[in-house]
C-alpha cells in the first residue's frame, strides 16, 4: 500500500498523500506474473490506480523510510505529522533516521524510491551536511501540501495506550543494519527510548532530548570538518585543452577531495587559456614529463580517440593508478580491446568517461522503471535531433573540427552514448538491425541512422547498476544530426525519448522534463525531480567524475570500467556490420567470422565437416563424416589428432580443408 489515509468523521476515509498509485503489487522474486497483473487490475477497478512492480522489496523499504523518519517521533512527542516534518528538531532527526534506512537498504542490494520529493541520495546528502536547507524546505512543502490534520497510526497507538510497532519499524532497521554492517545509531536510540518507556506512556517533546543531543553532535562534527583547511586526498592531471576539456576541468575544480594539479596540451594558446580560466598552476606540452613530475593519482584523457592508446600506454609505464579516458575509447573494436588489455596487464584502473548515463533524466528514468510505474516495459524510442549538422561546415565542426574526418561518425561519436543509456535502462543487447545515412557530404562519416535493438531478458550488463526490466525490450534509436527538436537548447538532452509499458509510458522532452502517463486518455502528468542546469547535460560530467572519486575514496561500486565499456563498443561494431551487410546481427559477436585455410598433410580423412572451436583446449574439432572419425587440430603445435570411432576404417585419401570458424576474441 502506497497511500496514506485518515478518518476524522465516522465512516469517512480521506487520503492524505499525493501518490499516483494506491497499491503496488509484485512477486517476492521480482517476476511480473499473470496473477500479480490480474490482482493489480482488480485493485485499480475496485479502489484506485494500482500497478505491478518488479521491485516489491524496494517499494516496501521506500515506505519504511517514511514510517521510520516520522512515526516514532510523532508518538514520542504527541505531535501531528505536519508538525514533525516542519519542527526544527524533529525535521533534523527525521532526516538522520531516513538516511539510516537508505544506507541499510543499499547495503542489502535494494533499489529504493525517493520519498516526499527527495531522492535516496538527497536524503543521505542532507544527513551528511550537503544541501540541507533544500531537503528541509522540501519536507516543509510536502507537509504544507498534505495538510496538518493527520496523525500516524503509531501516534494514535500511544494516545490510546496501545503497544507500538517500534520493533517492526526502527527496530527492524537496526537489526538489518547489524546484519549488513551498517551503523544505525538514531534508529537504535529511538527504539531504546520507546521500549524503555513501555506501553501506556504519555507523549511529550522531552522524550526526544537524547535524539536532539545526537543530531547536534553530528552537525557540530560536520561544521568542524568544514572549518578545517581542506587538504585534497587525490591529485588529477589532464591532457587536452579543447572544447569538451573545459567541462572536465570545471567539474574537477568543484569536486571535494580532489586537487587539479596540471594540464597538458600541444597548443600553447589553448593550454594557457584553459589553465588561467580554471586556476591550474602547472602546464605542460609533454605528457611523459607531466606524469614524471606530478605523479598524479588520476590521469584524465580528453583528446581524440586516435591518441588514446599511446596516452594510456604512457600512463601505464609511469605507474598512474587510475586513468579516465573520454569516449570513443578507440577507433575500432580491436584497438579498444588492446587498450583495455594494456591497462589490465599493468594493473592500471581504466575508466571510460561515458557521461550520458549520468545525466539526471536518465538516472531518474531508470529509477522510475525500477518502481514499476509503467508496469512491464515493452518498447522504447530515442529520437536524436541536435540540429547541428546543417551547413558547410556544420556547427559541430566549429567545436570539434576532427569530427569532419571521422569515417565512422554519428554512431561512433554520438550514438555510443545512447547505446550505453539503453543498456543502463534495459539490459544487454542481443541483436541489432541498422541502416545508416550520409546527408551532409562535408563530413566523411554518416550523420543519420535508424537502429533497432533487441534486448535480453533479466541479463547482466556487467555494470554495478543492474537494469530494472525483466522483460525483453525492443528499442529504436532514430538519429539525424541535421534535424532539430523542440528545445531551448537542442544539445541538452540531444533529443526526445518515449518508453512504453503495459501500465503506461514515460516521456522525456528536450528541456529535461519527464512526463508519466497511465493507461487511458488524458492521464499524462509531469514528474518533477531535482537536477541542476549547470555544466554539460545536467552536470553529467561532474557526476561521472565524482562517481570515480567516490569509488577511489569510499570503495563504492564502479559503473564504467574499460572492460565493462567494451560491450558498448561491440554493439557499435554490430551496428556497422548490420548496415554493411543489410541484415540483423546478433550479439555477442565474439570475434568476426574469419576464413582460415588449413592445409593438413594428412591422409586419414576424406570429407571434413562440422568445424567447432573448443575454447577450453584452444583446438579445432572437426569430423570426417564418411568414416566416422573425429579430429582435433591444435594451431599452436600444428598437430592434428585422430580419434577413431569403433568399427571404422583406418585410412582414406589425403584431404586439404577450407573451414569457416568462429574464434573467441582472445
Amino acid at each position: 500500500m502506497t497511500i496514506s489515509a485518515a478518518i476524522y468523521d465516522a465512516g469517512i476515509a480521506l487520503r492524505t498523500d499525493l501518490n499516483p498509485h494506491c497499491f503496488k503489487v509484485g512477486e517476492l522474486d521480482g517476476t511480473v506474473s499473470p496473477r500479480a497483473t490480474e490482482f493489480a487490475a482488480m485493485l485499480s477497478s475496485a479502489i484506485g490506480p494500482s500497478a505491478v512492480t518488479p521491485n516489491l522489496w524496494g517499494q516496501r523499504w521506500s515506505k519504511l523510510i517514511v514510517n521510520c523518519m516520522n512515526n516514532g517521533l510523532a508518538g514520542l512527542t504527541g505531535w501531528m505529522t505536519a508538525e514533525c516534518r516542519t519542527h526544527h528538531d524533529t525535521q533534523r532527526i527525521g532526516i538522520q533516521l531516513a538516511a539510516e534506512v537508505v544506507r541499510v537498504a543499499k547495503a542489502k542490494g535494494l533499489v529504493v524510491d525517493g520519498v516526499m520529493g527527495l531522492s535516496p541520495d538527497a536524503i543521505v546528502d542532507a544527513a551528511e551536511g550537503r544541501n540541507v536547507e533544500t531537503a528541509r524546505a522540501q519536507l516543509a512543502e510536502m507537509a504544507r501540501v498534505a495538510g496538518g490534520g493527520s496523525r500516524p497510526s503509531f501516534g494514535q497507538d500511544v494516545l490510546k495506550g496501545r503497544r507500538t510497532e517500534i520493533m517492526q519499524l526502527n527496530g527492524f532497521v537496526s537489526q538489518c543494519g547489524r546484519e549488513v554492517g551498517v551503523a544505525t545509531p538514531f534508529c537504535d536510540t529511538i527504539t531504546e527510548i520507546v521500549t524503555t518507556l513501555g506501553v501506556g506512556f504519555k507523549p511529550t517533546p522531552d522524550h526526544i532530548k537524547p535524539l536532539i543531543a545526537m543530531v547536534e553532535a553530528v552537525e557540530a562534527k560536520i561544521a568542524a570538518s568544514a572549518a578545517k583547511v581542506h587538504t585534497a586526498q587525490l591529485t588529477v592531471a589532464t591532457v587536452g585543452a579543447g572544447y569538451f576539456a573545459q567541462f572536465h576541468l570545471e567539474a574537477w575544480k568543484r569536486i571535494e577531495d580532489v586537487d587539479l594539479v596540471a594540464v597538458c596540451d600541444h597548443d600553447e594558446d589553448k593550454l594557457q587559456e584553459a589553465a588561467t580560466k580554471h586556476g591550474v598552476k602547472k602546464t605542460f606540452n609533454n605528457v611523459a614529463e607531466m606524469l614524471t613530475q606530478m605523479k598524479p593519482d588520476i590521469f584524465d584523457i580528453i583528446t581524440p580517440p586516435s591518441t588514446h592508446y599511446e596516452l594510456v600506454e604512457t600512463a601505464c609505464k609511469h605507474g598512474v593508478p587510475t586513468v579516465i579516458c573520454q569516449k570513443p575509447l578507440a577507433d575500432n573494436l580491436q584497438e579498444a580491446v588492446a587498450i583495455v588489455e594494456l591497462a589490465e596487464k599493468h594493473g592500471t584502473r581504466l575508466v571510460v568517461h561515458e557521461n550520458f548515463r549520468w545525466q539526471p533524466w536518465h538516472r531518474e528514468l531508470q529509477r522510475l522503471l525500477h518502481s514499476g510505474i509503467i508496469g512491464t516495459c515493452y518498447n522504447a524510442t530515442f529520437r536524436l535531433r541536435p540540429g547541428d549538422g546543417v551547413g558547410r561546415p556544420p556547427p559541430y565542426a566549429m567545436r570539434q573540427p576532427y569530427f569532419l574526418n571521422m569515417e565512422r561518425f554519428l554512431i561512433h561519436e554520438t550514438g555510443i552514448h545512447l547505446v550505453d543509456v539503453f543498456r543502463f535502462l534495459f539490459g544487454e543487447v542481443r541483436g541489432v538491425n541498422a541502416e545508416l545515412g550520409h546527408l551532409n557530404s562535408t563530413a566523411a562519416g554518416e550523420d543519420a541512422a535508424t537502429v533497432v535493438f533487441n534486448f535480453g531478458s533479466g541479463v547482466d550488463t556487467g555494470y554495478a547498476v543492474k537494469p530494472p526490466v525483466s522483460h525483453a525490450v525492443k528499442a529504436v534509436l532514430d538519429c539525424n544530426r541535421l534535424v532539430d527538436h523542440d528545445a531551448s537548447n537542442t544539445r541538452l538532452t540531444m533529443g526526445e525519448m518515449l518508453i512504453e509499458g503495459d501500465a503506461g509510458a514515460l516521456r522525456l522532452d528536450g528541456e529535461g522534463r519527464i512526463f508519466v502517463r497511465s493507461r487511458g486518455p488524458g492521464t499524462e502528468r509531469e514528474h518533477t525531480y531535482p537536477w541542476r542546469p549547470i555544466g554539460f547535460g545536467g552536470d553529467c560530467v561532474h557526476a561521472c567524475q565524482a562517481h570515480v572519486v567516490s569509488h577511489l575514496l569510499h570503495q563504492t561500486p564502479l559503473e564504467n570500467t574499460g572492460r565493462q565499456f567494451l560491450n558498448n563498443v561491440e554493439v557499435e561494431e554490430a551496428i556497422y556490420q548490420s548496415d554493411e551487410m543489410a541484415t540483423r546481427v546478433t550479439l555477442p559477436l565474439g570475434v568476426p567470422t574469419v576464413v582460415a585455410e588449413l592445409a593438413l598433410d594428412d591422409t586419414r580423412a576424406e570429407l571434413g565437416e562440422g568445424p567447432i572451436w573448443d575454447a577450453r583446449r584452444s583446438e579445432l574439432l572437426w569430423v570426417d563424416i564418411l568414416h566416422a572419425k573425429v579430429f582435433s587440430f591444435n594451431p599452436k603445435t600444428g598437430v592434428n589428432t585422430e580419434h577413431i570411432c569403433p568399427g571404422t576404417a583406418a585410412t582414406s585419401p589425403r584431404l586439404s580443408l577450407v573451414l569457416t570458424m568462429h574464434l573467441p576474441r582472445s
Side-chain angles (χ1 to χ4, degrees):
M1 179 185 296
T2 61
I3 63 174
S4 301
I7 300 178
Y8 304 120
D9 298 302
I12 301 176
L14 300 175
R15 284 188 64 175
T16 58
D17 68 283
L18 300 176
N19 293 325
H21 293 102
C22 294
F23 298 95
K24 294 289 184 66
V25 181
E27 301 284 359
L28 295 180
D29 63 0
T31 58
V32 178
S33 65
R35 68 171 185 170
T37 303
E38 182 181 4
F39 188 50
M42 293 167 60
L43 291 172
S44 297
S45 176
I47 301 176
S50 302
V52 179
T53 176
N55 185 32
L56 183 63
W57 288 111
Q59 295 286 331
R60 292 175 65 86
W61 274 76
S62 297
K63 180 71 171 178
L64 189 61
I65 296 172
V66 178
N67 291 341
C68 285
M69 75 184 299
N70 194 68
N71 290 17
L73 293 174
L76 288 171
T77 60
W79 295 342
M80 308 292 275
T81 299
E83 189 172 4
C84 284
R85 291 180 181 174
T86 55
H87 190 278
H88 178 68
D89 291 330
T90 48
Q91 191 182 66
R92 294 182 298 157
I93 297 168
I95 289 173
Q96 295 294 333
L97 290 167
E100 290 182 358
V101 183
V102 172
R103 294 188 188 110
V104 173
K106 287 189 173 183
K108 288 173 67 67
L110 301 173
V111 178
V112 294
D113 290 342
V115 296
M116 290 180 287
L118 295 173
S119 70
D121 289 341
I123 293 172
V124 174
D125 283 348
E128 296 175 355
R130 298 181 293 274
N131 302 317
V132 179
E133 293 307 316
T134 301
R136 295 184 63 183
Q138 179 62 27
L139 291 176
E141 173 62 15
M142 293 304 293
R144 183 192 67 79
V145 172
S150 66
R151 185 190 303 275
S153 58
F154 192 112
Q156 297 175 39
D157 290 338
V158 171
L159 292 177
K160 296 175 182 179
R162 297 172 177 169
R163 189 189 308 273
T164 70
E165 54 189 0
I166 190 67
M167 294 307 299
Q168 286 70 46
L169 297 177
N170 302 85
F172 175 70
V173 174
S174 295
Q175 176 187 336
C176 291
R178 289 189 293 271
E179 293 172 355
V180 297
V182 175
T184 56
F186 282 86
C187 283
D188 297 346
T189 301
I190 195 171
T191 302
E192 182 181 358
I193 292 172
V194 175
T195 54
T196 300
L197 288 171
V199 178
F201 69 86
K202 300 299 181 184
T204 169
D206 290 342
H207 291 321
I208 66 169
K209 284 183 177 179
L211 291 164
I212 295 174
M214 289 177 63
V215 80
E216 288 177 347
V218 169
E219 292 173 348
K221 184 177 180 180
I222 292 172
S225 177
K228 292 180 181 179
V229 176
H230 179 70
T231 302
Q233 298 184 45
L234 297 172
T235 57
V236 177
T238 70
V239 58
Y243 162 72
F244 207 82
Q246 309 308 314
F247 297 109
H248 283 240
L249 298 173
E250 187 273 336
W252 284 126
K253 298 295 288 187
R254 286 192 284 122
I255 298 176
E256 295 181 359
D257 300 317
V258 166
D259 187 8
L260 180 57
V261 296
V263 60
C264 178
D265 199 283
H266 60 79
D267 188 319
E268 186 66 23
D269 291 339
K270 287 184 178 180
L271 176 63
Q272 295 305 322
E273 181 181 354
T276 300
K277 180 178 179 181
H278 300 289
V280 185
K281 295 180 180 179
K282 291 282 189 177
T283 59
F284 294 84
N285 301 118
N286 183 278
V287 168
E289 181 182 347
M290 178 180 71
L291 298 181
T292 299
Q293 289 190 27
M294 306 309 297
K295 296 180 172 55
D297 299 302
I298 302 173
F299 177 41
D300 189 10
I301 299 173
I302 327 162
T303 58
S306 60
T307 66
H308 289 173
Y309 185 92
E310 181 180 352
L311 290 170
V312 172
E313 184 178 39
T314 302
C316 290
K317 289 180 178 178
H318 283 77
V320 179
T322 300
V323 174
I324 301 177
C325 188
Q326 252 294 345
K327 44 65 50 199
L329 179 58
D331 286 331
N332 53 62
L333 174 59
Q334 289 72 26
E335 187 173 328
V337 172
I339 291 174
V340 171
E341 292 179 346
L342 172 68
E344 292 176 345
K345 176 183 177 181
H346 286 81
T348 301
R349 181 183 294 102
L350 176 64
V351 178
V352 179
H353 196 290
E354 176 48 74
N355 52 54
F356 269 40
R357 64 168 31 229
W358 294 103
Q359 291 178 338
W361 36 89
H362 294 143
R363 305 304 281 194
E364 185 67 7
L365 286 171
Q366 203 243 23
R367 191 192 67 80
L368 289 172
L369 286 171
H370 265 296
S371 75
I373 195 170
I374 64 168
T376 299
C377 182
Y378 291 137
N379 304 301
T381 301
F382 191 97
R383 298 174 62 252
L384 188 141
R385 298 289 190 272
D388 60 357
V390 178
R392 295 176 178 273
Y396 60 70
M398 304 301 291
R399 297 187 304 268
Q400 291 153 295
Y402 66 92
F403 279 5
L404 290 177
N405 299 320
M406 296 176 73
E407 294 183 0
R408 291 183 170 186
F409 172 46
L410 179 61
I411 296 299
H412 181 60
E413 206 291 322
T414 308
I416 191 71
H417 285 304
L418 281 311
V419 169
D420 185 67
V421 168
F422 277 0
R423 292 182 62 239
F424 174 62
L425 295 177
F426 310 123
E428 200 63 85
V429 180
R430 289 302 181 222
V432 297
N433 202 319
E435 183 176 348
L436 310 183
H438 194 177
L439 304 178
N440 189 336
S441 59
T442 307
E446 82 283 355
D447 50 15
T450 302
V451 186
V452 178
F453 298 83
N454 295 100
F455 293 87
S457 177
V459 296
D460 186 352
T461 64
Y463 283 124
V465 175
K466 306 307 178 187
V469 296
S470 58
H471 180 81
V473 176
K474 179 172 287 188
V476 176
L477 178 59
D478 178 10
C479 308
N480 190 322
R481 288 207 78 132
L482 281 69
V483 180
D484 68 357
H485 64 287
D486 187 8
S488 55
N489 174 12
T490 58
R491 286 176 51 76
L492 179 66
T493 65
M494 298 291 282
E496 302 165 332
M497 188 179 326
L498 179 65
I499 305 173
E500 299 171 298
D502 65 350
L506 299 170
R507 180 171 65 86
L508 169 69
D509 75 359
E511 304 295 344
R513 295 178 299 186
I514 294 175
F515 297 86
V516 181
R517 185 182 69 82
S518 303
R519 290 184 68 92
T523 62
E524 186 176 77
R525 63 192 183 280
E526 184 175 355
H527 167 80
T528 59
Y529 63 102
W531 66 278
R532 299 182 296 173
I534 61 176
F536 174 81
D539 215 17
C540 63
V541 173
H542 179 277
C544 179
Q545 293 171 188
H547 170 71
V548 178
V549 171
S550 176
H551 170 73
L552 297 179
L553 295 181
H554 308 297
Q555 293 74 54
T556 53
L558 190 59
E559 293 187 24
N560 47 348
T561 67
R563 176 61 64 180
Q564 292 164 343
F565 188 78
L566 284 181
N567 282 350
N568 289 333
V569 185
E570 190 172 51
V571 174
E572 174 196 320
E573 180 64 30
I575 291 172
Y576 284 107
Q577 286 187 21
S578 174
D579 174 69
E580 181 179 352
M581 298 185 295
T583 188
R584 182 178 185 272
V585 174
T586 59
L587 287 121
L589 293 175
V591 150
T593 298
V594 296
V595 176
E597 182 174 342
L598 304 180
L600 303 179
D601 294 326
D602 202 318
T603 61
R604 294 173 294 175
E606 183 174 355
L607 181 59
E609 292 280 3
I612 299 175
W613 180 256
D614 185 343
R616 292 174 299 174
R617 298 192 301 174
S618 297
E619 292 183 344
L620 179 70
L621 305 178
W622 57 282
V623 298
D624 176 10
I625 62 172
L626 295 184
H627 300 283
K629 297 179 183 179
V630 177
F631 291 83
S632 59
F633 176 73
N634 188 317
K636 290 185 178 180
T637 64
V639 175
N640 186 47
T641 303
E642 177 183 354
H643 307 275
I644 302 177
C645 299
T648 61
T651 60
S652 58
R654 175 173 176 173
L655 174 68
S656 292
L657 300 174
V658 177
L659 305 173
T660 300
M661 68 190 98
H662 291 271
L663 301 179
R665 177 179 292 147
S666 61

